[in-house]
Amino acid sequence: MYALFIVLNQTDYLDVILERFVEIGVTGATVLDSQGMAGAIANSDRSIPLFGSLKTLMEGARPYNKTIFTVLKNEEMVEKTAAAVQDVLKDLPSTGLGFMFSVPIGKVYSLGTNR
């Protein structure tokens, strides 16, 4: 089993990506509101000298993104899911879209009453 994480900066495409998940057989995913370090620094009231120019560059940018993660049965499904996300975003400029990564999972435990 694998976990696929997607940090999506273009949040307008979240619904389309989730629709594609359903189409290809992804049975569940979790979506979190998230914020990258640069966005947090840009919106901070604290003055961090090293990041002063970064703060200026980030003004007006969207400071928040979505992090999607899903548990997939095998590497084939990871590749299929990653390809679906890339397909949704293929016509957008490649800068600042976000990123994806997968990690192998050792064990999954149910928290339900049927153990």
Side-chain angles (χ1 to χ4, degrees):
M1 296 188 91
Y2 293 85
L4 177 65
F5 291 84
I6 303 146
V7 178
L8 180 65
N9 293 333
Q10 298 296 328
T11 59
D12 294 343
Y13 292 87
L14 175 64
D15 291 341
V16 178
I17 288 171
L18 296 177
E19 287 172 11
R20 290 294 300 276
F21 279 14
V22 171
E23 290 171 9
I24 64 172
V26 174
T27 58
T30 298
V31 180
L32 304 171
D33 292 325
S34 52
Q35 182 178 34
M37 185 175 86
I41 290 169
N43 289 320
S44 172
D45 292 334
R46 294 186 52 166
S47 176
I48 304 172
L50 178 62
F51 294 104
S53 59
L54 175 62
K55 196 167 187 170
T56 302
L57 285 173
M58 291 294 295
E59 285 180 11
R62 285 190 257 173
Y64 299 100
N65 50 36
K66 298 286 186 182
T67 297
I68 309 162
F69 65 93
T70 184
V71 175
L72 302 167
K73 288 186 179 185
N74 53 46
E75 199 168 341
E76 177 184 337
M77 197 61 182
V78 172
E79 292 299 326
K80 190 175 182 179
T81 306
V85 172
Q86 291 170 326
D87 185 55
V88 168
L89 303 174
K90 70 182 177 199
D91 294 329
L92 298 175
S94 61
T95 306
L97 290 177
F99 63 95
M100 293 185 282
F101 64 93
S102 67
V103 293
I105 297 174
K107 292 185 179 186
V108 175
Y109 298 93
S110 173
L111 298 178
T113 57
N114 298 330
R115 295 183 189 164

